[in-house]
């Protein structure tokens, strides 16, 4: 089962490529995965029917005891057959439903297969938490499938509505799962949980205060999730809105899969919890009212797809009542209706899609004569409608008749439920006949509908589903043998499925359904008129929209009041809150501490602290931005020196490198800001900020001091030295901590770094309002295509200026000013000629040329020696990044392409891949995630080598850091340079001191001088 789920997800990932290659024929490839799942599920049938349920367990997070248990019992088997079987047919249907020129097919196919896999996992897992994960996966993929037509507002709104409603219910369900799982008698295993509920042992050993109300609360929360997923009142409105999705989505998600998830959950838990009063008071009223409401609303729809949508709502209410009733006989009827509904409703949705595909409309008022020209399609739809209405001898009749037979032999409540089902079935037959009449009948006064396209293949899936509906109805005893295994888990006498149970009240009820259903259809026009005149005072969808609108208004008001755009105000609120919270905790905490301290270890520490404090004070008083940044960096370097004086060279090295990169980033950004801070006289504000800074500084220092003295247990860090060497195989505790002991933290940190880098770069590289991004800008080396100037004039025309002549004159200038290497006509740096002459420094260029490669070698030394000596992937990556900074400062933005002509995303992505592979590889050899191993061997030049596999993870960190620095230089450095060049050249002669403007003026001057000499 795990392998099948993984297969679904792998194929989902490759489907975009398959669809790009094969076009719509790629849906046949996609259908192979659910087909394989269907074949495997069928093969497990004998074991399941004999009670030998296949089980599989996979430890997911051992530390949390989270185990992915999978179990294929009768209910899971039936649902898996539906999910894989219907999914296969719908994917085959898609191969002709979508046109060859349709866009987004790869995306649709991938999401569809992924949804099918999530649904398969949902119905086969035996763990409630894994079920919740699969539950939310179906929510996410359904959102993407419903919103497939991204350019349509109705599609986007329907997708948002579906995900908001079902996710809200899912979160409530998660709360109920946790409440039941944490009970002493509870469990996160479905089998054990249902058994405990049936035996009444959930509260065994529970502390005082936890009683039946606790269990009732958990049940309510779980049922909220089930009702929202299955579109039961008051959550029913999202399903009709979801008809904005492509028809294959509706045929699968809204007939056979997603909406069945809530019904499945109720059927799964009913044997253990249906006897709870809160269960009955929720399931019966909500299900019965939904059945009537959906049928009533379906009678007035003119869109045939909406007729089926509201009919689905009605049928889901019917199913919810039966599977949650809590007796074996009714449960058997419920499972029969569940199976029949998957067949006839998928069939009818596919028929609607064919009608729309053939005629270009779904409006039953515009369709006429389709049945006469498509008799096979009309017969297929007729079988689906008769099965839906519960007319013999089809599958829907068998399930409905079994329910009526049981309920009519019960008490008063059972009889009331039976008559409500009869009323709902009358509505079902009426709107079913209206649907068939609207799609296929010849209507007086309506021109015969033109049929545009035809395909035998597209009619095959609904025909097979209709045939299955007839087959199950004709062989009810065999069908019963497939369902009875789960139904009999409920209390009571076992039920039976049959076409004829003898003459009695159920037969009379069926006759009433047929007579009054036909009569209601015949009076459809008066009924529609009454429905138009009768205004419903309450609408669940209206309530939802009012809630969303009010939430948006409230959020807007809160944002307007709190988000003033003032960064100092935000920072002040954050700091005041932190200081007050910590201070109040200390005051009212009631903890008596013995404060042990020493002022300093040596006089050098005092001197460094004085310099750091003085630089921080002067930075706060500085009016020039650059001066403030330099003083702030000096304070940071003093912190690094304090680390060194404390005997932590690794921390000191990392702090120095981080501070250097931070300084570079500040300087790059400050180039586009005014040189001075605000000149407005704000003495009061400055004194407030100074006081706040002093108070917060004292509080933070005090919190750290008190926290260090409040320790009551032995610090875990005391074991780091031993753990680092015995399990991480390294002597550098800091680096081993990063790549082994707390490697999960590092994995998260590098992921965040990559995300931030991508976000910042995307903002700077967006070219227009359509958010098109030029990812390769500022990467090519000098002389390549994108090193040609791209200018933009006020008339929004583009001009490309050939720089070859100007570069030749600049080279002449370089030779005369010693920018060429002695004895060679080569530049010290390849892209130096792209800079204006007055911006160039021969000392910087020569120095960069001499130290660049040495710094790279040094970074590699830090990388590979960092496991036992100061260094590591982070420090090595920073040193390599500083080498790139030197190349950029000395040679300009095109020098980055010469130094490292790679997209930063490639480096960062490669780093994440290497780190991920290093994390997962130990699992393949029987280890745990991120577990380290060591190999000792001898190399001819290096001698004895002690290689820990954590170094591979460190290589990933190294690549991520280099990619991050390169992205910073490319975006905040080179791209800002490019913006400045464009602005300077667009001013039409204005003397703006941008680098390329100055370089162009210098080239013009050289040209004029050369012409004058001639």
């Amino acid at each position: 089962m795990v392998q099948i789920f993984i297969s679904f997800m792998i194929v989902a990932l490759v489907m975009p490529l398959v669809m790009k290659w094969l076009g719509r024929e790629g849906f046949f490839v996609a259908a192979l995965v659910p087909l394989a799942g269907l074949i495997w599920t069928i093969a497990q049938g004998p074991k399941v029917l004999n009670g030998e349920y296949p089980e599989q367990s996979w430890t997911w997070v051992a530390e949390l005891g989270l185990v992915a248990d999978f179990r294929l019992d009768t209910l899971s088997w039936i649902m898996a057959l539906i999910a894989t079987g219907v999914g296969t047919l719908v994917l085959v249907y898609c191969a002709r439903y979508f046109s060859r020129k349709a866009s987004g097919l790869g995306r649709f196919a991938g999401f569809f297969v992924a949804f099918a896999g999530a649904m398969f996992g949902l119905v086969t897992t035996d763990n409630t938490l894994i079920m919740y994960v699969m539950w939310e996966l179906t929510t996410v993929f359904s959102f993407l499938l419903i919103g497939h037509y991204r350019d349509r507002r109705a599609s986007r709104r329907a997708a948002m509505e579906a995900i908001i409603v079902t996710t809200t219910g899912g979160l409530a369900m998660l709360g109920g799962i946790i409440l039941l799982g944490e009970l002493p008698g509870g469990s996160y295993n479905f089998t054990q949980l249902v058994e405990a509920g049936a035996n009444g042992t959930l509260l065994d050993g529970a502390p005082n205060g936890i009683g039946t109300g606790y269990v009732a609360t958990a049940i309510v929360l779980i049922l909220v999730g089930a009702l929202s997923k299955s579109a039961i009142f008051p959550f029913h409105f999202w399903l009709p809105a979801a008809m904005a999705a492509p028809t294959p989505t509706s045929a699968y998600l809204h007939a056979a899969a997603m909406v069945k998830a809530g019904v499945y959950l109720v059927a799964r838990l009913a044997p253990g919890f249906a006897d709870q009063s809160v269960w009955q008071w929720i399931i019966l009223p909500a299900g019965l009212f939904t059945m009537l409401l959906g049928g009533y609303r379906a009678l007035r729809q003119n869109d045939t797809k909406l007729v089926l949508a509201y009919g689905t709502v009605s049928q889901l209410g019917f199913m919810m009542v039966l599977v949650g009733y809590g007796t074996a006989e009714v449960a058997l009827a419920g499972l029969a209706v569940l199976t029949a509904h998957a067949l006839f409703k998928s069939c009818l949705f596919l028929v609607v899609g064919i009608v729309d595909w053939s005629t270009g409309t779904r409006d039953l008022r515009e369709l006429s004569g389709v049945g006469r020209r498509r008799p096979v399609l009309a017969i297929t739809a007729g079988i689906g409608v008769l099965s839906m209405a519960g007319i013999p001898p089809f599958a829907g009749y068998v399930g409905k008749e079994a329910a009526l037979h049981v309920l009519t032999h019960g008490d008063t409540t059972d009889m009331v439920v039976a008559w409500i089902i009869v009323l709902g079935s009358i509505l079902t037959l009426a709107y079913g006949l209206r649907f068939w009449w609207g799609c296929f009948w010849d209507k007086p006064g309506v021109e015969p509908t033109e049929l545009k396209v035809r395909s035998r293949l597209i009619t095959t899936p609904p025909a097979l589903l209709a045939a299955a509906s007839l087959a199950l109805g004709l062989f009810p005893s065999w069908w019963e043998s497939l369902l009875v295994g789960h139904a009999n888990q409920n209390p009571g006498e076992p039920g039976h499925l049959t076409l004829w149970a003898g003459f009695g009240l159920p037969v009379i009820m069926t006759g009433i359904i047929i007579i009054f259903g036909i009569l209601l259809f015949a009076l459809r026009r008066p009924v529609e008129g009454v429905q138009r005149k009768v205004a419903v005072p309450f609408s669940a969808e209206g309530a939802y929209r009012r809630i969303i609108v009010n939430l948006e208004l409230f959020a807007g008001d809160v944002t307007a009041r709190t988000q003033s755009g003032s960064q100092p105000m935000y920072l002040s609120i954050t700091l005041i809150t932190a200081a007050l919270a910590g201070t109040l905790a200390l005051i009212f905490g009631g903890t008596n501490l013995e404060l042990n301290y020493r002022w300093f270890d040596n006089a050098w520490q005092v001197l460094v602290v004085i310099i750091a404090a003085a630089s921080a004070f002067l930075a706060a008083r500085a009016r020039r931005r650059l001066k403030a940044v330099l003083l702030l960096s000096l304070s940071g370097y003093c912190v690094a020196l304090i680390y060194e004086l404390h005997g932590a060279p690794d921390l000191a090295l990392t702090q120095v490198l981080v501070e250097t990169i931070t300084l570079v980033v500040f300087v790059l950004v400050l180039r586009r800001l005014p040189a001075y801070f605000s000149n407005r006289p704000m003495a009061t504000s400055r004194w407030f900020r100074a006081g706040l800074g002093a108070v917060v500084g004292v509080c933070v220092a005090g919190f750290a001091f008190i926290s260090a003295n409040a320790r009551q247990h032995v610090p875990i860090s005391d074991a780091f030295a031993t753990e680092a060497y015995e399990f991480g195989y390294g002597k550098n505790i800091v680096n081993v901590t990063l790549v082994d002991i707390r490697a999960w933290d590092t994995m998260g940190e590098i992921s965040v770094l990559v995300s931030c880098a991508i976000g910042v770069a995307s903002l700077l590289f967006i070219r227009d309002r359509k958010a098109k991004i030029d990812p390769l800008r500022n990467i090519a080396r000098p002389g390549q295509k994108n090193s040609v100037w791209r200018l933009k004039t006020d008339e929004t025309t583009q001009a490309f200026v050939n720089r070859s002549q100007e570069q030749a004159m600049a080279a002449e200038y370089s030779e005369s000013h010693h920018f060429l290497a002695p004895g060679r006509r080569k530049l010290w740096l390849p892209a130096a000629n792209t800079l204006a002459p007055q911006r160039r420094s021969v000392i910087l260029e020569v120095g960069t040329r001499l130290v660049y490669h040495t710094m790279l070698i040094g970074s590699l030394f830090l990388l590979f020696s960092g496991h036992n000596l100061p260094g590591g992937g982070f420090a090595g990556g920073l040193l390599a990044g500083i080498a790139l900074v030197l190349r950029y400062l000395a040679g300009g933005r095109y020098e980055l392409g010469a130094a490292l002509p790679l997209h930063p995303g490639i480096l960062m992505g490669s780093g994440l891949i290497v780190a991920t592979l290093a994390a997962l590889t130990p699992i393949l050899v029987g280890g745990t995630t991120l577990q380290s191993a060591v190999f000792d061997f001898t190399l001819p030049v290096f001698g004895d080598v002690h290689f820990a596999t954590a170094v591979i993870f460190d290589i990933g960190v190294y690549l991520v850091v280099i990619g991050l620095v390169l992205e910073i230089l490319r975006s905040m450095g080179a791209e800002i340079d490019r913006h400045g060049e464009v602005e300077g050249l667009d001013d039409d002669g204005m003397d703006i001191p941008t680098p390329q403007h100055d370089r162009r003026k210098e080239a013009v001057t050289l040209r004029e001088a050369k012409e004058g000499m001639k």
Side-chain angles (χ1 to χ4, degrees):
M1 286 172 277
V2 175
Q3 291 83 350
I4 293 177
F5 171 75
I6 294 175
S7 299
F8 271 102
M9 294 306 161
I10 292 175
V11 173
L13 290 175
V14 302
M15 279 314 300
L17 296 176
V18 173
M19 299 302 293
K20 185 176 181 180
W21 180 37
L22 299 178
R24 67 178 186 176
E25 309 299 330
F27 281 111
F28 292 120
V29 177
L32 295 176
V33 189
L35 178 61
L38 175 64
I39 294 172
W40 179 88
T41 306
I42 293 174
Q44 305 305 310
K47 293 182 179 179
V48 173
L49 297 179
N50 290 332
E52 301 172 3
Y53 304 136
E55 296 183 0
Q56 193 172 2
S57 184
W58 175 54
T59 302
W60 187 10
V61 184
E63 292 79 2
L64 299 178
L66 188 55
V67 179
D69 295 320
F70 290 86
R71 185 171 184 263
L72 195 68
D73 61 4
T74 303
L75 180 60
S76 297
W77 185 67
I78 292 296
M79 291 298 298
L81 287 175
I82 294 174
T84 55
V86 177
T88 301
L89 293 176
V90 173
L91 283 170
V92 172
Y93 175 92
C94 288
R96 291 297 175 266
Y97 176 81
F98 291 104
S99 69
R100 299 182 186 277
K101 299 180 180 180
S103 61
L105 292 186
R107 183 178 70 250
F108 179 87
F111 292 151
F112 194 101
V113 173
F115 176 91
M119 192 67 199
F120 180 84
L122 187 153
V123 299
T124 55
T125 183
D126 201 33
N127 184 285
T128 54
L129 293 177
I130 302 300
M131 186 276 297
Y132 172 75
V133 173
M134 301 296 178
W135 185 284
E136 292 306 314
L137 282 177
T138 60
T139 298
V140 172
F141 291 128
S142 69
F143 165 78
L144 297 170
L145 289 168
I146 294 171
H148 173 69
Y149 298 122
R150 296 179 294 179
D151 55 336
R152 302 179 186 178
R153 182 181 178 184
S155 182
R156 297 194 302 270
R157 188 169 72 175
M160 286 298 300
E161 194 170 283
I163 197 172
I164 288 173
V165 173
T166 55
T167 300
T168 302
L171 290 174
M173 182 187 72
L174 177 62
I177 288 172
I178 294 174
L179 289 178
L180 291 180
E182 293 300 315
L183 281 173
S187 175
Y188 289 105
N189 181 278
F190 267 123
T191 304
Q192 298 174 6
L193 183 64
V194 171
E195 183 179 352
N199 297 334
T201 59
L202 277 175
L203 297 175
D204 289 356
N208 294 332
I210 295 181
T212 56
Y214 182 96
V215 177
T217 302
I219 291 174
V220 170
L221 292 174
I222 291 176
L223 290 182
V224 167
L227 299 183
S228 65
K229 196 76 164 181
S230 291
I232 304 299
F233 180 85
F235 308 106
H236 63 284
F237 55 87
W238 72 262
L239 180 55
M243 295 302 106
T247 298
T249 299
S250 303
Y252 188 55
L253 274 67
H254 307 138
M258 178 180 174
V259 293
K260 293 290 197 304
V263 178
Y264 162 79
L265 181 61
V266 170
R268 172 65 68 193
L269 296 178
F273 299 95
D275 60 341
Q276 300 281 337
S277 59
V278 67
W279 177 283
Q280 296 294 330
W281 278 106
I282 292 176
I283 292 294
L284 293 184
L288 293 172
F289 182 76
T290 302
M291 184 181 184
L292 299 179
L293 177 65
Y296 174 81
R297 294 290 299 273
L299 286 174
R300 60 174 300 180
Q301 304 303 318
N302 294 316
D303 185 335
T304 52
K305 197 173 179 182
L306 283 179
V307 173
L308 295 181
Y310 281 103
T312 301
V313 170
S314 176
Q315 293 290 309
L316 288 170
F318 182 30
M319 282 183 282
M320 192 67 74
V321 170
L322 297 183
V323 300
Y325 209 79
T327 64
E329 294 175 298
V330 179
L332 179 63
L335 293 179
V337 172
L338 184 150
T339 309
H341 179 268
L343 298 176
F344 65 67
K345 193 52 66 74
S346 297
C347 166
L348 293 176
F349 269 119
L350 294 180
V351 167
V352 167
I354 295 173
V355 172
D356 188 15
W357 177 75
S358 303
T359 65
T361 182
R362 298 195 308 254
D363 195 324
L364 55 80
R365 295 168 298 184
E366 300 175 1
L367 294 168
S368 179
V370 176
R372 184 163 35 84
R373 284 171 290 171
R374 292 285 189 275
V376 175
L377 188 64
I379 293 173
T380 299
I383 294 174
V385 168
L386 294 176
S387 181
M388 178 175 66
I391 305 300
F394 302 102
Y397 166 79
V398 173
K400 175 184 67 67
E401 194 71 8
L404 293 178
H405 180 79
V406 175
L407 294 172
T408 53
H409 289 79
D411 55 18
T412 304
T413 302
D414 296 335
M415 188 63 71
V416 171
V417 171
W419 282 109
I420 294 177
I421 291 175
V422 169
L423 179 57
S425 298
I426 292 172
L427 296 173
T428 301
L429 179 58
Y431 71 70
L433 293 173
R434 185 170 180 268
F435 164 83
W436 193 89
W437 166 84
C439 283
F440 301 103
W441 200 255
D442 290 329
K443 303 181 182 66
V446 180
E447 292 293 329
T449 306
E450 180 183 357
L451 302 181
K452 302 175 183 178
V453 289
R454 178 191 297 267
S455 170
R456 291 183 179 179
L457 179 62
I458 199 172
T459 59
T460 302
L464 291 175
L465 292 168
S469 293
L470 177 60
L472 290 181
L474 293 176
F475 301 97
S477 298
W478 175 77
W479 188 14
E480 174 189 323
S481 67
L482 305 181
L483 307 177
V484 72
H486 177 76
N488 288 345
Q489 293 181 15
N490 292 270
E493 295 295 326
H496 298 284
L497 299 180
T498 180
L499 271 174
W500 178 253
F503 186 81
L505 185 56
V507 177
I508 297 174
M509 287 179 169
T510 298
I512 292 173
I513 291 171
I514 295 174
I515 295 172
F516 282 91
I518 294 174
L519 181 63
L520 189 60
F521 164 71
L523 299 175
R524 58 188 177 278
R525 296 193 184 279
V527 171
E528 291 175 9
V530 171
Q531 286 185 321
R532 282 193 295 268
K533 293 178 181 179
V534 177
V536 180
F538 173 79
S539 167
E541 185 174 9
Y544 162 81
R545 299 204 179 281
R546 286 192 294 272
I547 291 173
I548 295 299
V549 169
N550 289 330
L551 280 176
E552 291 177 349
L553 292 175
F554 175 74
D557 293 339
V558 171
T559 301
R561 293 179 181 275
T562 59
Q563 303 295 313
S564 63
S566 172
Q567 190 73 19
M569 188 192 77
Y570 301 156
L571 190 59
S572 298
I573 292 175
T574 303
L575 294 176
I576 290 172
T577 302
L580 283 177
T583 303
L584 292 175
L586 290 176
I587 293 174
F588 297 103
T591 303
N592 297 321
L593 301 176
E594 295 182 4
L595 301 180
N596 300 315
Y597 61 90
R598 61 182 185 275
W599 289 106
F600 53 86
D601 293 325
N602 57 66
W604 290 107
Q605 293 176 341
V606 179
L607 177 61
V608 173
V609 168
I610 291 173
I611 296 174
S615 61
F617 177 77
L618 293 175
R621 286 182 51 84
R623 292 184 59 237
R624 291 183 66 92
R625 297 179 188 271
L626 184 58
K627 178 182 177 182
V629 169
L630 293 175
L631 288 169
L632 194 61
S633 295
L634 176 59
S635 180
Y637 286 121
C638 288
V639 172
L641 189 54
I642 290 175
Y643 290 155
E644 175 61 29
L645 292 173
H646 272 288
D650 206 322
L651 291 178
L653 174 63
T654 304
Q655 176 69 20
V656 168
L657 295 173
V658 169
E659 198 64 45
T660 303
I661 292 294
T662 305
L663 175 61
V664 171
V665 174
F666 268 117
V667 172
L668 291 176
V669 174
L670 288 180
R671 294 179 304 161
R672 304 292 288 173
L673 297 177
Y676 289 89
F677 291 107
S678 174
N679 292 322
R680 292 176 295 173
M682 296 184 296
T684 304
S685 175
R686 288 198 298 272
W687 280 110
F688 168 76
R689 295 176 187 177
L692 178 60
V695 170
V696 171
V698 170
C699 288
V700 171
F703 297 159
F705 178 67
I706 293 174
S707 298
N709 281 276
R711 187 183 299 278
Q712 299 178 0
H713 302 283
V714 177
I716 190 174
S717 58
D718 287 355
F720 270 27
T722 303
E723 298 287 334
Y725 190 76
E726 292 184 357
F727 297 99
Y729 310 105
K731 299 178 182 178
N732 183 350
I733 301 174
V734 174
N735 191 61
V736 174
T737 300
L738 292 176
V739 299
D740 185 279
I741 299 175
R742 299 185 63 180
W744 273 117
D745 293 350
T746 305
M747 177 66 78
E749 289 161 4
I750 61 177
S751 301
V752 171
L753 282 177
V754 172
S755 301
C756 293
I758 292 172
V760 172
S762 299
L763 292 175
L764 284 171
F765 282 84
I766 288 177
R767 295 191 318 208
D768 52 34
R769 289 177 178 263
K770 294 183 180 180
K772 293 182 179 179
I773 295 177
D774 185 1
L776 299 178
R777 197 158 60 214
N778 305 328
I779 292 176
R781 292 168 291 182
Q784 290 183 340
K785 184 176 180 180
N786 85 327
S787 63
V788 177
W789 286 4
R790 182 175 183 177
L791 311 178
K792 198 172 184 180
T793 65
D794 293 336
E795 292 79 21
T796 68
T797 61
Q798 297 177 347
F800 293 88
V801 180
N802 190 328
R803 301 187 330 183
S804 59
Q805 295 180 351
E806 297 178 3
Q807 285 185 347
M809 289 181 286
E812 181 180 340
Y813 178 88
S814 298
E815 184 175 4
S816 63
H817 287 75
H818 308 290
F819 285 105
L820 299 179
R824 299 186 301 169
R825 295 187 57 83
K826 290 186 178 180
L827 294 169
W828 289 106
L829 297 176
N833 267 351
T834 61
L835 292 176
Q838 61 267 31
R839 283 196 56 200
R840 298 178 62 182
S841 168
V842 65
I843 297 177
L844 183 57
E845 290 184 21
V846 173
T848 300
R849 178 64 176 264
L850 293 176
V851 304
Y852 174 72
H853 299 93
T854 304
M855 294 178 70
L856 291 182
I857 294 173
S859 71
L860 292 174
F861 174 79
L862 291 178
L863 167 63
F864 290 105
S865 68
H867 215 60
N868 294 284
L869 298 173
F874 190 70
L878 289 175
L879 183 58
I882 292 173
L884 292 174
V885 170
L886 277 177
R887 289 290 293 266
Y888 165 72
L889 295 177
R893 67 186 182 103
Y894 292 111
E895 189 63 29
L896 290 175
L900 192 58
L902 282 177
H903 193 289
I906 296 176
L907 288 172
M908 291 187 288
S910 300
L912 282 178
I913 291 173
V914 171
T916 303
L917 290 177
L920 298 179
T921 300
I923 299 177
L924 302 178
V925 293
T928 59
T929 307
L930 290 168
Q931 182 177 349
S932 295
V934 64
F935 299 94
D936 294 311
F937 51 89
T938 303
L939 291 178
V941 178
F942 296 93
D944 294 335
V945 176
H946 181 79
F947 182 81
T949 56
V951 174
I952 300 175
F953 182 84
D954 219 6
I955 292 174
V957 176
Y958 177 82
L959 293 175
V960 168
V961 173
I962 294 178
L964 172 66
V965 176
L966 184 61
E967 188 66 90
I968 290 172
L969 295 175
R970 189 176 74 104
S971 55
M972 296 185 178
E975 184 63 10
I976 290 179
D977 287 346
R978 194 191 67 84
H979 289 177
E981 293 166 11
V982 173
E983 292 174 5
L985 288 169
D986 277 350
D987 282 339
D988 196 16
M990 297 295 292
D991 189 11
I992 298 179
T994 57
Q996 294 289 40
H997 185 61
D998 289 344
R999 192 194 63 74
R1000 193 182 186 197
K1001 291 202 315 178
E1002 183 66 24
V1004 172
T1005 302
L1006 289 172
R1007 184 187 302 113
E1008 292 175 351
K1010 188 173 183 180
E1011 291 176 354
M1013 292 175 63
K1014 291 181 179 179

